[in-house]
Amino acid sequence: MDIKTIELKKTILEDNDKDADLLREQLRQTKTFYVNVMSSPGSGKTTTLVSTIKHLQDGEAGGPISTGGPLRIGVMEADIDSDVDAHTIADETGAPSVQLHTGGMCHLDAEMSRQGLREIGYEDLDLVFLENVGNLVCPAEFDTGAHAKAVILSVPEGDDKPLKYPLMFEEADVVLVTKIDAMEAFDFAPEKFRENLAGVNPDAPVFFLSGATGEGVAEWAQWLREKVKNYLT
Amino acid sequence: MDIKTIELKKTILEDNDKDADLLREQLRQTKTFYVNVMSSPGSGKTTTLVSTIKHLQDGEAGGPISTGGPLRIGVMEADIDSDVDAHTIADETGAPSVQLHTGGMCHLDAEMSRQGLREIGYEDLDLVFLENVGNLVCPAEFDTGAHAKAVILSVPEGDDKPLKYPLMFEEADVVLVTKIDAMEAFDFAPEKFRENLAGVNPDAPVFFLSGATGEGVAEWAQWLREKVKNYLT
């Protein structure tokens, strides 16, 4: 599948927070739910998105979303360089994807989001994912205009990450722990992780997933489907 | 062991590159070799440093470095928050360690390095490691004044990372691939990785390590020991 790549223009808006609020309102007009997915490099963002999208695309053909019908989903893949992720998404799910190149910047802001959303044709989509640049620092500091922020942590990274990157975990609306099939090999203690997370964000729901075995994906996809349904009604 | 934590002052120098050159010269006066270690969060920087330091501390007591004697080593641990890593280093190796808090910033520059080096007493050390903030983007853009840059990539992150974070891998003087004991579980192809790396940095030596089994650590430590020896003579 042909993938469009957009070289993002740098925006230095005086008030990104205000612009992000505007973007959220703009997306509400077309009933598009926008999710910002953030994590370290290599934590399994793309793999998680592929399996999540497959779950959400399933549904009674033609049925409404409110009764479990399929969602129309798009993906924006942000990277410093390369377009491997957008190809993976498009090839494996058929979902419309655009590749965003940040030109060296380690985050996206609301206006950069808008450039990508315009390109992907958000008006005809129920749900758009942004796979943010792999980074646990800068992306946490910028509101992209998303309605929900999902933070992914992979088991090999260790259960201490909420201590070291507190803002990222504090900002999360939902936390996904991926690669749980590797838990024994990496000495990751789920209870320790929950304790570390509770120190900065006691309310975020946590889902434990494995891209390899598919474990946990249905539960997280169902949570997200409920979010979209509530947003639409 | 008591660990000193330094809240770094933000420096906005007009010419960080010039200041970094100055710092390198300053460290040459006291024959201190300075290594900037960079990677994603959770890639095994601290574990790798612990095993590397143990190798370099070994040596004929009292013998000179040129004939394999022990090196006097210090470690600066940079993090947004927390001081778990500095404690780990100090407890497991006895090496002098300081914790640097960046106050939300995702990188260190030369003057921030200098604040830490002053605190650790670099004058009496042969080798100082900086464990930079876990991040494959921003730290690549700032010269810290180090004599060598080591980039760590862990196997679970995937063999495609040089494509996605080209500047980081381009800047590397040496690349360490960690957690190689997990290679089969994560479908990491060493030849594919070498090919992706060669696209941005064909000359950097690559060492494959496992903190769990100790494999490969001696070879990398020996490479570093040679670097320090050449620097001192």
Side-chain angles (χ1 to χ4, degrees):
Chain A
M1 196 186 286
D2 261 8
I3 294 295
K4 179 130 189 177
T5 297
I6 305 167
E7 307 296 331
L8 293 172
K9 289 181 193 68
K10 193 164 182 173
T11 48
I12 307 177
L13 277 186
E14 258 186 42
D15 195 343
N16 176 63
D17 286 349
K18 196 174 158 190
D19 190 44
D21 287 339
L22 270 176
L23 178 57
R24 260 185 294 276
E25 198 43 49
Q26 188 178 344
L27 294 169
R28 180 165 283 283
Q29 308 297 320
T30 58
K31 300 197 170 185
T32 307
F33 193 73
Y34 178 30
V35 180
N36 177 10
V37 181
M38 298 178 280
S39 82
S40 296
S43 66
K45 283 191 290 303
T46 310
T47 305
T48 302
L49 282 180
V50 165
S51 56
T52 305
I53 290 168
K54 284 181 178 172
H55 265 277
L56 295 173
Q57 283 173 333
D58 280 351
E60 205 178 315
I65 292 167
S66 58
T67 57
L71 297 179
R72 297 169 302 168
I73 301 171
V75 179
M76 307 196 293
E77 291 288 335
D79 257 316
I80 305 293
D81 210 337
S82 100
D83 57 6
V84 291
D85 291 341
H87 278 284
T88 303
I89 294 281
D91 293 348
E92 299 201 11
T93 72
S97 309
V98 293
Q99 183 73 48
L100 310 178
H101 282 174
T102 66
M105 281 174 290
C106 62
H107 70 275
L108 268 76
D109 60 17
E111 170 54 24
M112 291 160 83
S113 284
R114 195 181 275 116
Q115 293 171 44
L117 286 162
R118 204 177 285 144
E119 193 60 44
I120 206 171
Y122 69 91
E123 304 91 343
D124 301 323
L125 299 173
D126 304 308
L127 174 61
V128 176
F129 291 104
L130 166 65
E131 185 178 326
N132 216 314
V133 180
N135 190 313
L136 286 184
V137 187
C138 339
E141 298 167 15
F142 291 86
D143 190 342
T144 59
H147 301 96
K149 285 174 269 190
V151 173
I152 297 182
L153 177 74
S154 65
V155 157
E157 295 172 69
D159 51 32
D160 62 347
K161 289 301 161 292
L163 301 176
K164 296 185 172 182
Y165 303 92
L167 182 63
M168 180 58 82
F169 287 91
E170 192 185 320
E171 289 285 322
D173 296 305
V174 58
V175 176
L176 310 181
V177 178
T178 58
K179 307 187 188 178
I180 56 167
D181 46 298
M183 212 172 271
E184 275 185 40
F186 285 100
D187 198 22
F188 183 104
E191 282 320 304
K192 190 76 199 158
F193 172 71
R194 283 185 190 277
E195 192 182 301
N196 291 336
L197 179 64
V200 292
N201 188 340
D203 299 325
V206 181
F207 293 94
F208 291 86
L209 317 176
S210 165
T213 69
E215 193 183 339
V217 178
E219 291 77 6
W220 139 248
Q222 187 52 35
W223 180 90
L224 188 56
R225 184 186 284 277
E226 288 298 318
K227 279 276 175 193
V228 178
K229 268 167 66 176
N230 292 339
Y231 173 77
L232 292 177
T233 54
Chain B
M1 196 185 287
D2 262 8
I3 294 293
K4 180 129 189 179
T5 297
I6 305 167
E7 307 295 331
L8 293 172
K9 289 181 193 69
K10 193 164 181 173
T11 48
I12 308 176
L13 276 186
E14 258 186 41
D15 196 343
N16 176 63
D17 286 349
K18 195 174 159 192
D19 190 44
D21 286 339
L22 270 175
L23 179 56
R24 261 186 293 276
E25 197 45 48
Q26 189 179 343
L27 293 168
R28 180 164 284 284
Q29 307 297 321
T30 58
K31 300 197 170 185
T32 307
F33 193 74
Y34 179 29
V35 179
N36 177 10
V37 181
M38 297 178 281
S39 82
S40 295
S43 66
K45 284 191 291 302
T46 310
T47 305
T48 302
L49 281 181
V50 166
S51 56
T52 305
I53 290 168
K54 284 181 178 172
H55 265 277
L56 295 173
Q57 284 172 335
D58 280 351
E60 206 177 315
I65 293 167
S66 58
T67 57
L71 297 179
R72 298 169 302 168
I73 301 171
V75 180
M76 307 196 295
E77 290 289 335
D79 257 316
I80 305 291
D81 210 337
S82 100
D83 57 5
V84 291
D85 291 341
H87 277 285
T88 303
I89 294 281
D91 292 349
E92 298 200 13
T93 71
S97 309
V98 293
Q99 183 72 47
L100 310 179
H101 282 174
T102 65
M105 281 174 288
C106 62
H107 70 275
L108 268 76
D109 61 17
E111 171 53 24
M112 290 159 83
S113 284
R114 196 180 274 117
Q115 293 172 45
L117 286 162
R118 205 176 285 144
E119 193 61 44
I120 206 170
Y122 68 92
E123 305 91 343
D124 300 323
L125 299 172
D126 304 308
L127 173 62
V128 177
F129 291 104
L130 166 64
E131 186 179 324
N132 216 315
V133 180
N135 190 313
L136 285 184
V137 186
C138 338
E141 298 167 15
F142 291 86
D143 191 341
T144 59
H147 300 97
K149 285 175 271 190
V151 173
I152 296 182
L153 177 75
S154 65
V155 157
E157 295 172 71
D159 51 33
D160 61 347
K161 289 301 161 292
L163 301 176
K164 297 184 171 183
Y165 303 92
L167 182 64
M168 180 58 82
F169 287 93
E170 191 186 321
E171 288 285 321
D173 296 306
V174 58
V175 176
L176 310 181
V177 178
T178 58
K179 307 186 187 178
I180 56 167
D181 46 297
M183 212 172 271
E184 275 186 39
F186 286 99
D187 197 23
F188 184 104
E191 282 321 305
K192 190 76 199 158
F193 172 71
R194 283 185 190 277
E195 192 183 302
N196 291 336
L197 179 64
V200 290
N201 189 340
D203 299 325
V206 181
F207 293 94
F208 291 84
L209 318 176
S210 165
T213 69
E215 192 183 339
V217 177
E219 291 76 6
W220 138 249
Q222 187 54 33
W223 180 90
L224 188 55
R225 184 186 285 276
E226 288 298 318
K227 278 275 176 193
V228 178
K229 268 166 66 178
N230 291 340
Y231 173 77
L232 293 176
T233 54

